[in-house]
Short mmCIF file of all heavy atoms in Angstrom, two decimals:
data_model
loop_
_atom_site.label_atom_id
_atom_site.label_comp_id
_atom_site.label_asym_id
_atom_site.label_seq_id
_atom_site.Cartn_x
_atom_site.Cartn_y
_atom_site.Cartn_z
N ASP R 456 -1.84 -38.20 -5.37
CA ASP R 456 -2.00 -37.18 -6.41
C ASP R 456 -3.15 -37.41 -7.38
O ASP R 456 -3.29 -36.65 -8.33
CB ASP R 456 -0.68 -37.04 -7.18
CG ASP R 456 -0.38 -38.24 -8.08
OD1 ASP R 456 -1.01 -39.30 -7.90
OD2 ASP R 456 0.48 -38.10 -8.97
N SER R 457 -3.97 -38.47 -7.19
CA SER R 457 -5.03 -38.71 -8.18
C SER R 457 -6.04 -39.70 -7.62
O SER R 457 -5.94 -40.13 -6.46
CB SER R 457 -4.43 -39.27 -9.48
OG SER R 457 -4.04 -40.63 -9.28
N ILE R 458 -6.99 -40.10 -8.48
CA ILE R 458 -7.93 -41.15 -8.08
C ILE R 458 -7.20 -42.44 -7.73
O ILE R 458 -7.76 -43.32 -7.08
CB ILE R 458 -8.97 -41.42 -9.20
CG1 ILE R 458 -8.25 -41.74 -10.52
CG2 ILE R 458 -9.93 -40.27 -9.33
CD1 ILE R 458 -9.19 -42.23 -11.62
N GLY R 459 -5.94 -42.53 -8.13
CA GLY R 459 -5.15 -43.71 -7.83
C GLY R 459 -4.96 -43.95 -6.34
O GLY R 459 -4.56 -45.03 -5.93
N LEU R 473 -4.11 -30.21 -9.87
CA LEU R 473 -2.94 -30.13 -10.75
C LEU R 473 -3.06 -28.93 -11.69
O LEU R 473 -2.13 -28.12 -11.81
CB LEU R 473 -2.83 -31.41 -11.57
CG LEU R 473 -1.77 -32.43 -11.16
CD1 LEU R 473 -1.88 -33.68 -12.02
CD2 LEU R 473 -0.37 -31.84 -11.26
N ARG R 486 5.60 -33.62 -11.92
CA ARG R 486 4.90 -34.89 -11.64
C ARG R 486 5.70 -36.03 -12.26
O ARG R 486 5.51 -36.38 -13.43
CB ARG R 486 3.49 -34.84 -12.20
CG ARG R 486 2.60 -35.98 -11.71
CD ARG R 486 1.16 -35.81 -12.15
NE ARG R 486 0.35 -36.88 -11.59
CZ ARG R 486 -0.51 -37.63 -12.27
NH1 ARG R 486 -0.68 -37.44 -13.57
NH2 ARG R 486 -1.20 -38.58 -11.66
N PRO R 487 6.63 -36.62 -11.49
CA PRO R 487 7.49 -37.67 -12.04
C PRO R 487 6.72 -38.96 -12.27
O PRO R 487 5.72 -39.25 -11.61
CB PRO R 487 8.55 -37.86 -10.95
CG PRO R 487 7.90 -37.38 -9.69
CD PRO R 487 6.96 -36.29 -10.09
N ALA R 488 7.24 -39.76 -13.22
CA ALA R 488 6.56 -40.98 -13.63
C ALA R 488 7.07 -42.23 -12.94
O ALA R 488 6.44 -43.29 -13.03
CB ALA R 488 6.67 -41.16 -15.15
N THR R 513 2.65 -40.04 -6.10
CA THR R 513 1.58 -41.03 -5.99
C THR R 513 1.55 -41.72 -4.64
O THR R 513 2.58 -41.87 -3.97
CB THR R 513 1.73 -42.13 -7.06
OG1 THR R 513 2.92 -42.88 -6.79
CG2 THR R 513 1.78 -41.55 -8.46
N GLN R 515 0.06 -44.87 -4.87
CA GLN R 515 0.16 -46.24 -5.38
C GLN R 515 1.53 -46.50 -6.01
O GLN R 515 2.21 -45.59 -6.44
CB GLN R 515 -0.95 -46.50 -6.42
CG GLN R 515 -0.78 -45.83 -7.77
CD GLN R 515 -1.33 -44.42 -7.83
OE1 GLN R 515 -1.43 -43.73 -6.81
NE2 GLN R 515 -1.68 -43.97 -9.03
N LEU R 517 4.26 -47.47 -8.67
CA LEU R 517 4.42 -47.31 -10.12
C LEU R 517 5.58 -48.18 -10.57
O LEU R 517 6.61 -48.25 -9.89
CB LEU R 517 4.70 -45.85 -10.49
CG LEU R 517 3.62 -44.82 -10.17
CD1 LEU R 517 4.05 -43.44 -10.68
CD2 LEU R 517 2.28 -45.21 -10.77
N ILE R 549 1.39 -38.75 -28.22
CA ILE R 549 0.67 -38.94 -26.95
C ILE R 549 1.49 -38.29 -25.85
O ILE R 549 2.69 -38.56 -25.71
CB ILE R 549 0.47 -40.42 -26.63
CG1 ILE R 549 -0.27 -41.14 -27.77
CG2 ILE R 549 -0.31 -40.58 -25.32
CD1 ILE R 549 -0.40 -42.65 -27.56
N LEU R 550 0.84 -37.42 -25.07
CA LEU R 550 1.50 -36.76 -23.95
C LEU R 550 0.86 -37.23 -22.65
O LEU R 550 -0.37 -37.43 -22.59
CB LEU R 550 1.37 -35.24 -24.04
CG LEU R 550 1.87 -34.54 -25.30
CD1 LEU R 550 0.72 -34.35 -26.30
CD2 LEU R 550 2.48 -33.18 -24.96
N ALA R 551 1.66 -37.40 -21.61
CA ALA R 551 1.12 -37.83 -20.32
C ALA R 551 2.05 -37.37 -19.21
O ALA R 551 3.21 -36.99 -19.46
CB ALA R 551 0.94 -39.35 -20.28
N SER R 552 1.54 -37.41 -17.99
CA SER R 552 2.37 -37.07 -16.83
C SER R 552 2.20 -38.11 -15.75
O SER R 552 1.19 -38.82 -15.69
CB SER R 552 1.99 -35.69 -16.28
OG SER R 552 0.80 -35.77 -15.50
N GLY R 553 3.19 -38.22 -14.87
CA GLY R 553 3.10 -39.03 -13.68
C GLY R 553 2.68 -40.46 -13.92
O GLY R 553 3.16 -41.15 -14.82
N SER R 554 1.72 -40.92 -13.12
CA SER R 554 1.30 -42.32 -13.18
C SER R 554 0.68 -42.67 -14.53
O SER R 554 0.72 -43.84 -14.94
CB SER R 554 0.30 -42.62 -12.06
OG SER R 554 -0.78 -41.71 -12.06
N GLU R 555 0.13 -41.68 -15.23
CA GLU R 555 -0.51 -41.97 -16.52
C GLU R 555 0.50 -42.14 -17.65
O GLU R 555 0.12 -42.52 -18.77
CB GLU R 555 -1.52 -40.88 -16.88
CG GLU R 555 -2.77 -40.92 -16.03
CD GLU R 555 -2.54 -40.37 -14.63
OE1 GLU R 555 -2.42 -39.13 -14.50
OE2 GLU R 555 -2.44 -41.18 -13.68
N VAL R 556 1.77 -41.87 -17.39
CA VAL R 556 2.79 -42.13 -18.41
C VAL R 556 2.82 -43.62 -18.75
O VAL R 556 3.00 -43.99 -19.92
CB VAL R 556 4.18 -41.66 -17.93
CG1 VAL R 556 5.30 -42.20 -18.82
CG2 VAL R 556 4.22 -40.12 -17.89
N HIS R 557 2.60 -44.48 -17.77
CA HIS R 557 2.73 -45.92 -17.99
C HIS R 557 1.63 -46.47 -18.91
O HIS R 557 1.96 -47.14 -19.90
CB HIS R 557 2.77 -46.65 -16.65
CG HIS R 557 3.92 -46.21 -15.81
ND1 HIS R 557 5.19 -46.72 -15.95
CD2 HIS R 557 4.01 -45.24 -14.85
CE1 HIS R 557 6.00 -46.12 -15.09
NE2 HIS R 557 5.31 -45.22 -14.42
N PRO R 558 0.36 -46.19 -18.67
CA PRO R 558 -0.64 -46.66 -19.64
C PRO R 558 -0.52 -45.95 -20.99
O PRO R 558 -0.80 -46.57 -22.04
CB PRO R 558 -1.98 -46.35 -18.97
CG PRO R 558 -1.69 -45.32 -17.94
CD PRO R 558 -0.29 -45.60 -17.48
N ALA R 559 -0.08 -44.69 -21.00
CA ALA R 559 0.11 -43.98 -22.27
C ALA R 559 1.23 -44.63 -23.08
O ALA R 559 1.13 -44.78 -24.31
CB ALA R 559 0.41 -42.51 -22.01
N LEU R 560 2.30 -45.01 -22.37
CA LEU R 560 3.43 -45.65 -23.04
C LEU R 560 3.01 -47.01 -23.61
O LEU R 560 3.35 -47.34 -24.77
CB LEU R 560 4.57 -45.81 -22.04
CG LEU R 560 5.92 -46.28 -22.57
CD1 LEU R 560 6.44 -45.37 -23.67
CD2 LEU R 560 6.93 -46.37 -21.42
N ARG R 561 2.25 -47.75 -22.85
CA ARG R 561 1.78 -49.05 -23.34
C ARG R 561 0.81 -48.87 -24.51
O ARG R 561 0.87 -49.63 -25.50
CB ARG R 561 1.10 -49.81 -22.20
CG ARG R 561 0.56 -51.19 -22.60
CD ARG R 561 1.64 -52.08 -23.16
NE ARG R 561 1.10 -53.34 -23.69
CZ ARG R 561 1.64 -54.01 -24.69
NH1 ARG R 561 2.73 -53.58 -25.30
NH2 ARG R 561 1.10 -55.14 -25.10
N VAL R 575 5.54 -40.90 -27.87
CA VAL R 575 5.01 -40.71 -26.52
C VAL R 575 5.94 -39.75 -25.76
O VAL R 575 7.15 -39.99 -25.69
CB VAL R 575 4.87 -42.04 -25.76
CG1 VAL R 575 4.38 -41.79 -24.33
CG2 VAL R 575 3.91 -42.97 -26.49
N ALA R 605 -3.55 -36.05 -25.03
CA ALA R 605 -3.01 -35.89 -23.67
C ALA R 605 -3.76 -36.83 -22.73
O ALA R 605 -4.98 -37.01 -22.85
CB ALA R 605 -3.17 -34.45 -23.20
N VAL R 606 -3.01 -37.43 -21.80
CA VAL R 606 -3.60 -38.39 -20.86
C VAL R 606 -3.20 -37.98 -19.44
O VAL R 606 -2.01 -37.94 -19.11
CB VAL R 606 -3.10 -39.83 -21.14
CG1 VAL R 606 -3.80 -40.82 -20.19
CG2 VAL R 606 -3.34 -40.22 -22.59
N GLU R 607 -4.20 -37.66 -18.63
CA GLU R 607 -3.93 -37.31 -17.23
C GLU R 607 -5.20 -37.48 -16.42
O GLU R 607 -6.28 -37.04 -16.83
CB GLU R 607 -3.41 -35.88 -17.11
CG GLU R 607 -2.95 -35.51 -15.71
CD GLU R 607 -2.26 -34.16 -15.67
OE1 GLU R 607 -2.98 -33.13 -15.73
OE2 GLU R 607 -1.02 -34.13 -15.60
N ALA R 608 -5.09 -38.06 -15.25
CA ALA R 608 -6.25 -38.33 -14.39
C ALA R 608 -6.60 -37.09 -13.57
O ALA R 608 -6.58 -37.10 -12.34
CB ALA R 608 -5.98 -39.53 -13.50
N GLY R 609 -6.92 -36.02 -14.26
CA GLY R 609 -7.33 -34.77 -13.64
C GLY R 609 -8.01 -33.92 -14.69
O GLY R 609 -8.15 -34.34 -15.85
N TRP R 614 -4.28 -28.85 -20.92
CA TRP R 614 -3.60 -29.63 -21.95
C TRP R 614 -3.90 -29.15 -23.37
O TRP R 614 -3.16 -29.49 -24.30
CB TRP R 614 -3.98 -31.10 -21.83
CG TRP R 614 -3.32 -31.79 -20.69
CD1 TRP R 614 -3.83 -32.01 -19.44
CD2 TRP R 614 -1.99 -32.34 -20.66
NE1 TRP R 614 -2.93 -32.67 -18.65
CE2 TRP R 614 -1.79 -32.89 -19.38
CE3 TRP R 614 -0.96 -32.42 -21.61
CZ2 TRP R 614 -0.60 -33.51 -19.01
CZ3 TRP R 614 0.22 -33.05 -21.24
CH2 TRP R 614 0.41 -33.57 -19.97
N ILE R 625 -7.70 -37.03 -22.76
CA ILE R 625 -8.30 -38.10 -21.95
C ILE R 625 -8.04 -37.72 -20.50
O ILE R 625 -6.92 -37.85 -19.99
CB ILE R 625 -7.68 -39.46 -22.30
CG1 ILE R 625 -7.93 -39.77 -23.78
CG2 ILE R 625 -8.26 -40.56 -21.42
CD1 ILE R 625 -7.20 -41.00 -24.28
N MET R 640 -8.86 -46.59 -11.99
CA MET R 640 -8.16 -46.27 -13.23
C MET R 640 -8.82 -46.97 -14.42
O MET R 640 -8.99 -46.39 -15.50
CB MET R 640 -6.68 -46.65 -13.12
CG MET R 640 -5.87 -45.69 -12.26
SD MET R 640 -5.80 -44.02 -12.96
CE MET R 640 -4.59 -43.26 -11.88
N PHE R 645 -8.50 -45.12 -17.96
CA PHE R 645 -7.07 -44.85 -18.06
C PHE R 645 -6.23 -46.11 -18.27
O PHE R 645 -5.03 -46.11 -18.02
CB PHE R 645 -6.59 -44.07 -16.83
CG PHE R 645 -7.16 -42.68 -16.76
CD1 PHE R 645 -8.24 -42.40 -15.94
CD2 PHE R 645 -6.66 -41.66 -17.55
CE1 PHE R 645 -8.78 -41.13 -15.88
CE2 PHE R 645 -7.19 -40.39 -17.52
CZ PHE R 645 -8.26 -40.12 -16.68
N ILE R 650 -7.36 -46.19 -23.66
CA ILE R 650 -6.70 -45.06 -24.32
C ILE R 650 -6.64 -45.31 -25.83
O ILE R 650 -6.96 -44.42 -26.63
CB ILE R 650 -5.30 -44.84 -23.72
CG1 ILE R 650 -5.42 -44.37 -22.27
CG2 ILE R 650 -4.51 -43.81 -24.55
CD1 ILE R 650 -4.11 -44.39 -21.50
#
Side-chain angles (χ1 to χ4, degrees):
D456 71 344
S457 73
I458 54 171
L473 257 176
R486 192 173 184 229
T513 66
Q515 73 273 26
L517 297 183
I549 304 175
L550 304 94
S552 78
S554 53
E555 288 75 75
V556 167
H557 300 277
L560 188 57
R561 180 58 186 150
V575 177
V606 184
E607 187 172 76
W614 285 96
I625 300 172
M640 285 296 189
F645 293 100
I650 293 168

